[in-house]
Amino acid sequence: MTDSDFYTSAMAGLPSLIERWLEIGDTTPDKLGIILADTARVARLGDPEGDPDGDTLHRWASPGSRTDQPPAWAARSALFLLSQMPAHPMPQTPSQCDGWAWTWIRLRHWESLEKAQDALPQWLAPALRTRLARAWQDHTAQRLL
C-alpha cells in the first residue's frame, strides 16, 4: 500500500466513526451533535463553528460527496468518546481501521509511535496497532494537497 493509498483508505474509513457514534449514542442525533462539538471544545480536539444537527451527522456518517466528509474535529471527538465506551465499538473493515488509526494519531500530540500505541485501549489495540505505523508515517510525512 502506498502512502496515498493509505490516506485514501483512511479518508474512506472516517465516516464510520460518526456512524458508530450515532449507533451507540444514547440520545437523539441532535443531542449527539451537541455532545460531539462540546467534547471537541472541552478536550481541545478542535474548534467547531457550531453544533452539528442530526441531519449533518447522518451526512457525515454516509457521505455522498467529499464535502459531506466529517471534519477532523468531529472524527477526533467521536474516537475520543468511542474509546471510552463500555460497548467497545470496533472498526469493521480495513478502511475503517485505517480511518480510526489515522484519527488516533491526530487525537493528541504523541512523542512517538510507541507512545501512541501504548495509549490505545486494550480492546482496540488488536484492530489498530499494526495500522498505527502507517498512520504515523502519514502524519509525519509532508503531503502536498
Side-chain angles (χ1 to χ4, degrees):
M1 178 182 284
T2 67
D3 291 342
S4 66
D5 289 341
F6 173 81
Y7 181 77
T8 300
S9 178
M11 293 305 99
L14 284 184
S16 68
L17 288 160
I18 305 302
E19 181 181 24
R20 295 286 181 279
W21 176 238
L22 284 168
E23 289 172 359
I24 295 173
D26 194 20
T27 189
T28 67
D30 286 340
K31 289 181 183 175
L32 290 172
I34 293 168
I35 293 167
L36 206 61
D38 283 349
T39 298
R41 292 180 192 106
V42 171
R44 298 180 187 200
L45 301 172
D47 192 21
E49 294 177 15
D51 298 339
D53 60 19
D55 290 338
T56 300
L57 290 185
H58 284 289
R59 275 197 325 276
W60 290 347
S62 301
S65 70
R66 182 143 167 74
T67 59
D68 288 339
Q69 279 284 99
W73 69 261
R76 285 191 300 265
S77 293
L79 183 56
F80 178 81
L81 293 164
L82 291 170
S83 69
Q84 299 176 56
M85 292 185 135
H88 296 172
M90 296 287 287
Q92 302 299 311
T93 67
S95 66
Q96 289 176 4
C97 290
D98 289 343
W100 291 39
W102 186 90
T103 303
W104 184 263
I105 290 296
R106 285 156 180 79
L107 194 61
R108 297 279 179 233
H109 175 74
W110 306 106
E111 294 177 21
S112 66
L113 171 59
E114 292 74 24
K115 297 271 187 186
Q117 289 172 327
D118 291 346
L120 277 172
Q122 189 173 21
W123 55 268
L124 192 54
L128 300 188
R129 184 169 292 279
T130 60
R131 298 187 181 272
L132 282 183
R134 296 302 306 269
W136 182 263
Q137 180 180 348
D138 179 83
H139 181 61
T140 58
Q142 294 183 359
R143 180 184 308 110
L144 297 175
L145 297 176

